[in-house]
């Protein structure tokens, strides 16, 4: 019927899979952050007509000028020129929804201050899409943000009811979790396996065709939406638990005069031992956040998530543990707490990216500052406005001098490869703390550093 009107059919129909195979679809990405922007670029590179939507003037203006609005340098050369074909950037979700067959929602799913899931972005983005979806178009609306099982149904289906829209008639709803790894060129949006959940298997299988154009890895329909929702959240829960184990061992083994890294490296000779590394803490917008989504859902169904909760507590307390060790090292070296000067190498939550979200450097620095120690930082991936007030930002590491301790907080290559001999010579007290276990402590000791690290029997 729609074809007879002479306009391109906007939405799902029996020809959707073949149009996906040929790239003959318009895809709208709602939310152009660390996940949405690479996803939009990926679908455009895969041959689709892409609309990108964001509410941020900073992001929209940058993209309208062909600039990268994000801290991930890998995107710098990938931003399409503003006048490129098949590339439309707008603030209007309604405009994009009217123009697209598929709308993919990639908005943040943070936790609130009291560590409860914050679904306001998912709700508002869904509402804006559904209000513009129209009747009978079967617009395909896919949530990619990380949530817990049941969020898509509990957040979006009531909106459909409120607007008088019917799933399978006016819209199609699916869930396909993003598995994007910031700063990792080998696991970008075009190189990761995907799973798709949808209440209608025919629609779900047709979406496999869409995502197979995006990624070279495995793409599969896994059943109802909740299966796909649960898949993504437990991937990150598992990671948080594994990291918590090595962080807990990093507190135990030094008391036994053992270096945890010696033990972990020896254990890793076993074929099925999964190697993780202790650190000053767990940051980012995924690993320290997603477990709270699973904990919330488990609580709602009355099954306490004791292991997940305990692991989260271990990782959340790691900065405070490390702070105690640092203060002990300063005390032993005769550095007065009130007046001690500490330099953090790196502030980002992860090596190789400029992203300070949930970085453990923040609580660690705060814990030191509250005892009178001053904290400075040098992070070549971040600009001064990314660093909180109260932290002195060092622009030139070769000019850094008169510090009592250096903490390697982020294992950026630039932090690992700096002139350690020169820095040691400029220290007031040459105490080094490797917070990410990436340095050769013996070599540092030979240079004149009092070399310590997370999980080592700190002797100096
Ligand atoms: N961390 C440790 N020890 C480890 C690994 C990580 O302390 O052994 C710390 C990191 O320093 C960082 C935090 O944990 O502060 C998170 O690190 P991450 O490597 O997990 O990086 P993320 O947060 O970017 O996680 C992403 C996730 N990807 C998606 O959600 C799509 C995660 O699922 C991936 O497993 C992870 O990248 C990855 O594989 O690197």
């Amino acid at each position: 019927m729609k074809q007879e009107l002479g306009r391109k059919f906007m939405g799902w129909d029996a020809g959707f899979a073949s149009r996906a195979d040929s790239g003959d679809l318009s895809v709208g990405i709602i939310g152009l952050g660390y996940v949405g922007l690479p996803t939009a670029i990926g679908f455009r590179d895969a041959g689709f007509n892409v609309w990108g939507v964001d509410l941020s003037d900073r992001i929209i203006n940058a993209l309208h000028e062909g600039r990268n609005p994000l801290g991930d340098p890998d995107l710098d050369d990938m931003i399409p020129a503003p006048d490129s074909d098949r590339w439309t950037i707008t603030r209007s979700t309604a405009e994009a929804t009217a123009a697209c067959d598929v709308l993919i929602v990639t908005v943040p799913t943070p936790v609130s201050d009291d560590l409860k899931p914050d679904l306001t972005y998912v709700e508002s983005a869904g509402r804006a899409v559904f209000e513009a979806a129209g009747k009978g178009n079967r617009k395909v609306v896919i949530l990619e943000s990380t949530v817990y099982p049941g969020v898509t149904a509990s957040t979006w289906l009531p909106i459909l009811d409120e607007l008088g829209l019917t799933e399978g008639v006016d819209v199609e709803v699916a869930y396909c979790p993003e598995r994007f790894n910031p700063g990792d060129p080998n696991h970008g949006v075009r190189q990761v396996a995907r799973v798709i959940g949808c209440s209608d298997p025919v629609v779900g299988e047709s979406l496999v065709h869409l995502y197979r154009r995006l990624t070279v890895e495995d793409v599969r329909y896994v059943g109802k939406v909740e299966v796909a929702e649960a898949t993504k959240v437990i991937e990150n829960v598992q990671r948080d638990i594994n990291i918590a184990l090595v962080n807990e061992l990093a507190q135990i083994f030094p008391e036994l005069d053992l270096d945890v890294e010696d033990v972990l490296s020896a254990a890793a000779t076993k074929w099925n031992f999964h190697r993780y590394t202790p650190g000053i803490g767990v940051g980012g917008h995924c690993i320290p956040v997603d477990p709270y989504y699973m904990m919330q859902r488990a609580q709602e169904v009355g099954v306490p998530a004791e292991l997940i909760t305990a692991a989260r507590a271990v990782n959340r307390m790691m900065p405070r543990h490390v702070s105690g060790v640092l203060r002990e090292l300063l005390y032993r070296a005769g550095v007065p707490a009130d007046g001690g000067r500490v330099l953090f190498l790196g502030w980002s939550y992860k090596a190789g990216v400029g992203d300070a979200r949930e970085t453990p450097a923040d609580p660690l620095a705060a814990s030191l500052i509250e005892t009178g120690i001053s904290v400075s930082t040098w992070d070549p991936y971040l600009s001064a406005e990314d660093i909180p007030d109260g932290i002195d930002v060092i622009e030139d590491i070769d000019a850094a001098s008169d510090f009592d301790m250096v903490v390697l907080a982020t294992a950026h290559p630039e932090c690992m490869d700096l002139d350690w001999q020169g820095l040691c010579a400029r220290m007031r007290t040459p105490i080094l703390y490797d917070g990410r276990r990436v340095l050769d402590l013996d070599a540092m000791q030979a240079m004149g550093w009092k070399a310590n690290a997370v999980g080592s029997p700190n002797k100096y």
Side-chain angles (χ1 to χ4, degrees), residues 327-358:
R327 282 181 277 123
E328 172 65 20
L329 290 171
L330 288 166
Y331 173 77
R332 278 190 225 157
V335 176
D338 188 8
R341 300 183 71 234
V342 174
L343 170 63
F344 280 19
L345 298 177
W347 188 266
S348 299
Y349 85 89
K350 179 179 186 179
V353 295
D355 187 343
R357 285 177 290 181
E358 300 292 319

Side-chain angles (χ1 to χ4, degrees), residues 44 62-67 77-89:
R44 181 176 178 277
L63 292 174
H64 277 160
E65 294 163 12
R67 289 186 294 106
D77 301 331
M78 297 166 66
I79 305 295
D83 58 353
S84 301
D85 63 340
R86 297 183 293 108
W87 182 250
T88 308
I89 300 298

Side-chain angles (χ1 to χ4, degrees), residues 146 178-182 184 232 235-236 239 243 246-247 275-279 281-288 290 349-351 360 436:
T146 302
E178 54 88 8
R179 284 173 169 168
F180 183 56
N181 186 16
D184 179 350
K232 169 60 194 287
E235 287 164 5
N236 286 347
R239 192 163 174 84
I243 298 169
V246 296
N247 279 339
R275 185 64 158 92
Y276 289 81
T277 307
V282 173
H285 49 289
C286 301
I287 309 306
D290 298 353
Y349 85 89
K350 179 179 186 179
R436 291 295 178 191

Side-chain angles (χ1 to χ4, degrees), residues 62-120:
L63 292 174
H64 277 160
E65 294 163 12
R67 289 186 294 106
N68 175 10
L70 304 181
D72 182 353
D74 289 342
L75 287 177
D76 286 349
D77 301 331
M78 297 166 66
I79 305 295
D83 58 353
S84 301
D85 63 340
R86 297 183 293 108
W87 182 250
T88 308
I89 300 298
T90 176
R91 287 176 185 77
S92 168
T93 299
E95 188 184 3
T97 302
C100 292
D101 303 278
V102 182
L103 287 306
I104 295 176
V105 177
T106 52
V107 294
T109 48
V111 284
S112 56
D113 290 344
D114 60 351
L115 302 177
K116 294 296 181 193
D118 175 359
L119 299 171
T120 52

